[in-house]
Amino acid sequence: MMNHPEPTHEHDPGPLDADVLIVGAGVTGIHQLYLAREAGFSVRLLEAGDGVGGTWYWNRYPGCRFDSESYTYAYLFSKELFDEWEWREQFAEQPETERYLNHVVDRFDLRRHMRFDARVTSATFDEPTATWTVVTDDGTKSRSRYLIAATGVLSVPFYPDVPGRADFRGQSMHTGRWPAAPVDLTAKRVAVIGTGSSGVQIAPVIVDEVASLTVYQRSANWCTPLNNAPITSDEQKQLRVGFEAMSEVLNTSTAGFLHPANDRSAFDDTEEERQAFFETMWRSPGFSKLSSNYADVLFDDGANAEWCEFITRKIRGIVQDPGTADKLIPKDHGFGEKRPPFVTGYYEMFNDPKVSLVDLKQTPIERITERGIETADGVQEFDVIVWATGFDFGTGALLRMGVRGRDGLALVDHWAEGPTTFLGVQTTGFPNFFFPGGPHAAAGNNPRYNGDQVEFITRALASLRDDGFDTIEVGPEAEESWTAMVDRGAGQSPFGEASYFFGTNIPGKPRKYLLNSGGRPKLFKEIAKVEANDYQAFRRTRTSDGGNRGQR
Ligand code: N01
């Protein structure tokens, strides 16, 4: 346990509540809490929701599920935990994931460090003591040495500014704020606005119960099958036997998946071989369509076009009405320029006569009325409108928390032109503040990247303690170089170019890449360098003895 400082200067804000204060009880926050406590720090966690799960707490819409394989998304820090939790499906549904995260919290006795219904409204760095004071919406203050915001990248739902949204008299829900109480959609006339991963997941799952389903599509997406399946008892056994080997792959692979990379280029193969390969891809699970596809599928226009033509033929083969099929085929971007959704029964659903598709490029939404949605084609009445319109990705939650660093610098001003980070964990001017799983963090199977980050942060805090420091702040050179790497990498492939990955779905948000374009190899390399160089990328000081800065 770290000794709580005894401030000797006049400025004495009282004792600390914890060494480490974490915000957010999602996958990253739980992991960070566990590691920090295991490392001997006193810990607290504040969570805005009234339960554990983060993304897997708020996104409880029907059909919400992983598109990373369940066991590859799960924690790997305990073999016992891995052994005792049997994922039922290759791609688990939200309720199972929420149960799993609750199980982890209880199994490792983490709940007693958590406070729920505690939304952070301000977080202020106090320079003389190098501590953070965090205030929640009920006015409670907490002080800590270190503040770790594990607030996630998809935690602020985005509602487009459509006139009349508040006028609708029926039920209106965002997928990212789905009510905990069951929503009865039986025999209801339902609209789903948005065809990103959430919209295309919910629609086919509710279609059987509703009276009618109308999908409002602004951009068609290159959807391919998820190819989910139950995990058989033999597979369960193999997973347990192969845990170490699997962990090794997951802990070292580029995007945190098990799918092997393909070193072939599309035109290394004949036309016939290519079509056979694409068929294999179509039948393969989840993200393997990106990770195991031809190596040049994102980099060569011809290769990308061939794969898109293959998907186009599939769509035309499944969707019986040629007009609808045509609308469902993207014309404005290639595969991977938007985050590809993985679907079950999505295209097939359009063959059901109660399902219709509105192409918003032809007939944009003009307004929401009391009874429904008005486009140039008139008003269509609904009982329920589902807003599957995405999130203020990457920085949304961090910038709403009222974070102020050195000299009162507001994070919202510091990042007015977009986030600047080192390793996606720290930014200059905000000592002792970390944000794993935030901007510049991941670009693949999120828990693997975010796990790398929380492990690094925990080691960094332990090294501070061991070396007699209590304050850590990244230097400007390291931040500039990491941010420049992210921006440079983002320009090198069209990946996510047409998507919220650049923040362009939010009016007024600067266009900046929000993922880690260097991937895990770059993260591993930089972390190794930092640790080998005794944290020279950071300014480490001692403050709690009254400002005696033992800088190194
Ligand atoms: O959000 P999105 P999402 N009028 O931003 C449309 C993860 N996730 O919640 O493309 C009409 O992708 C917008 O249209 P356009 C995953 O990382 C994972 O679906 O901007 N439509 C788009 O179609 C995912 O990428 C899973 O033209 C409007 C949609 O709303 C991320 O969460 C499942 C509009 C928003 O799509 C976000 O996915 C679900 C307007 N004014 C989510 N404004 C898994 O499978 C926006 N749209 C694990």
Side-chain angles (χ1 to χ4, degrees):
M1 184 84 56
M2 195 174 171
N3 288 331
H4 290 167
E6 297 291 341
T8 55
H9 29 70
E10 286 172 18
H11 180 91
D12 180 3
L16 293 180
D17 296 295
D19 299 325
V20 178
L21 183 70
I22 297 158
V23 185
V27 173
T28 307
I30 294 169
H31 195 176
Q32 180 65 81
L33 178 63
Y34 171 77
L35 291 180
R37 193 191 61 183
E38 293 304 291
F41 294 101
S42 63
V43 286
R44 274 203 188 174
L45 185 147
L46 303 173
E47 164 56 52
D50 69 1
V52 162
T55 288
W56 303 104
Y57 169 89
W58 297 106
N59 286 267
R60 47 183 72 244
Y61 61 85
C64 178
R65 63 170 68 247
F66 287 153
D67 55 13
S68 300
E69 281 78 355
S70 311
Y71 38 89
T72 71
Y73 195 98
Y75 295 119
L76 302 175
F77 60 74
S78 158
K79 167 88 165 90
E80 292 72 31
L81 170 65
F82 189 85
D83 282 350
E84 70 202 16
W85 188 269
E86 289 210 342
W87 293 99
R88 289 167 43 207
E89 295 174 280
Q90 294 289 341
F91 300 98
E93 235 183 329
Q94 178 272 337
E96 187 175 5
T97 307
E98 193 184 4
R99 276 199 307 279
Y100 168 74
L101 293 172
N102 275 282
H103 168 74
V104 173
V105 163
D106 291 329
R107 188 192 191 285
F108 294 101
D109 192 21
L110 300 175
R111 203 176 292 272
R112 67 193 166 93
H113 305 292
M114 297 181 168
R115 191 153 70 77
F116 296 97
D117 291 316
R119 180 173 292 281
V120 173
T121 52
S122 72
T124 311
F125 182 65
D126 179 58
E127 199 159 345
T129 56
T131 58
W132 282 88
T133 300
V134 169
V135 180
T136 47
D137 49 2
D138 61 357
T140 307
K141 280 189 187 172
S142 311
R143 273 188 70 239
S144 64
R145 170 71 53 210
Y146 304 108
L147 173 62
I148 304 183
T151 41
V153 280
L154 293 162
S155 26
V156 177
F158 168 66
Y159 288 94
D161 189 15
V162 179
R165 188 163 63 80
D167 298 342
F168 183 59
R169 292 261 185 90
Q171 240 183 321
S172 178
M173 281 96 65
H174 193 286
T175 49
R177 282 290 178 275
W178 199 266
V183 178
D184 185 7
L185 297 174
T186 315
K188 301 270 171 63
R189 298 163 302 170
V190 178
V192 173
I193 304 177
T195 50
S197 303
S198 304
V200 302
Q201 256 187 351
I202 187 172
V205 170
I206 61 174
V207 70
D208 284 342
E209 60 186 301
V210 302
S212 68
L213 178 63
T214 308
V215 176
Y216 287 82
Q217 169 191 279
R218 187 166 69 180
S219 306
N221 246 322
W222 293 109
C223 302
T224 53
L226 179 63
N227 294 319
N228 193 16
I231 304 179
T232 64
S233 59
D234 265 2
E235 287 167 337
Q236 299 281 12
K237 280 187 208 124
Q238 281 162 21
L239 281 171
R240 270 140 201 82
V241 172
F243 174 76
E244 273 80 17
M246 183 194 79
S247 300
E248 176 63 20
V249 176
L250 289 176
N251 286 333
T252 52
S253 74
T254 302
F257 290 112
L258 291 178
H259 316 134
N262 183 356
D263 55 9
R264 290 187 73 73
S265 296
F267 300 103
D268 290 346
D269 283 348
T270 64
E271 168 70 23
E272 201 179 327
E273 286 166 339
R274 221 169 19 252
Q275 294 310 314
F277 177 75
F278 285 149
E279 191 61 45
T280 312
M281 283 289 99
W282 181 262
R283 294 178 192 287
S284 71
F287 269 99
S288 47
K289 281 89 148 185
L290 260 183
S291 323
S292 302
N293 211 322
Y294 285 120
D296 57 350
V297 77
L298 288 183
F299 299 94
D300 181 281
D301 289 349
N304 196 293
E306 289 262 321
W307 172 230
C308 291
E309 278 161 31
F310 176 87
I311 303 173
T312 296
R313 283 194 294 278
K314 286 288 185 190
I315 298 172
R316 292 199 197 284
I318 297 169
V319 181
Q320 287 156 7
D321 173 51
T324 304
D326 197 55
K327 286 181 193 167
L328 288 165
I329 296 161
K331 313 285 188 305
D332 56 356
H333 68 278
F335 184 82
E337 286 179 42
K338 282 185 185 289
R339 196 271 202 197
F342 303 105
V343 291
T344 305
Y346 179 64
Y347 293 123
E348 291 80 352
M349 171 193 88
F350 288 98
N351 295 331
D352 188 327
K354 66 177 164 183
V355 178
S356 48
L357 179 67
V358 176
D359 182 348
L360 295 176
K361 293 244 162 80
Q362 287 170 11
T363 53
I365 296 177
E366 293 184 349
R367 64 182 56 79
I368 307 295
T369 70
E370 287 183 5
R371 291 168 170 276
I373 299 177
E374 183 175 343
T375 66
D377 280 347
V379 177
Q380 194 170 342
E381 295 192 357
F382 295 106
D383 304 305
V384 179
I385 298 179
V386 175
W387 296 85
T389 44
F391 299 87
D392 183 352
F393 178 77
T395 51
L398 284 173
L399 295 183
R400 281 164 174 78
M401 254 176 31
V403 179
R404 284 188 179 272
R406 199 185 284 292
D407 302 322
L409 176 65
L411 188 60
V412 74
D413 292 331
H414 185 53
W415 283 357
E417 302 303 320
T420 50
T421 82
F422 180 53
L423 308 176
V425 299
Q426 259 213 335
T427 186
T428 53
F430 295 79
N432 291 356
F433 175 57
F434 301 87
F435 41 84
H440 299 176
N445 189 13
N446 277 27
R448 303 282 66 88
Y449 286 81
N450 305 348
D452 302 334
Q453 290 182 312
V454 293
E455 284 172 6
F456 168 71
I457 291 167
T458 310
R459 290 195 300 273
L461 298 189
S463 84
L464 284 179
R465 179 181 55 198
D466 295 347
D467 296 345
F469 298 117
D470 58 19
T471 310
I472 180 166
E473 178 183 356
V474 67
E477 301 80 19
E479 176 177 78
E480 272 165 36
S481 137
W482 182 265
T483 305
M485 179 283 295
V486 167
D487 291 342
R488 243 188 349 264
Q492 282 166 6
S493 94
F495 180 64
E497 205 171 76
S499 83
Y500 64 83
F501 289 175
F502 284 86
T504 44
N505 61 325
I506 305 299
K509 190 161 169 166
R511 188 177 196 282
K512 281 280 176 187
Y513 195 61
L514 296 165
L515 304 184
N516 166 13
S517 60
R520 279 175 104 206
K522 190 71 188 166
L523 190 64
F524 292 147
K525 198 170 146 207
E526 285 299 316
I527 287 177
K529 207 159 93 188
V530 166
E531 293 181 334
N533 291 344
D534 211 11
Y535 295 89
Q536 279 174 17
F538 295 87
R539 183 167 181 257
R540 304 194 307 162
T541 54
R542 177 164 187 81
T543 317
S544 60
D545 59 359
N548 173 19
R549 287 166 180 266
Q551 189 183 336
R552 40 187 315 191

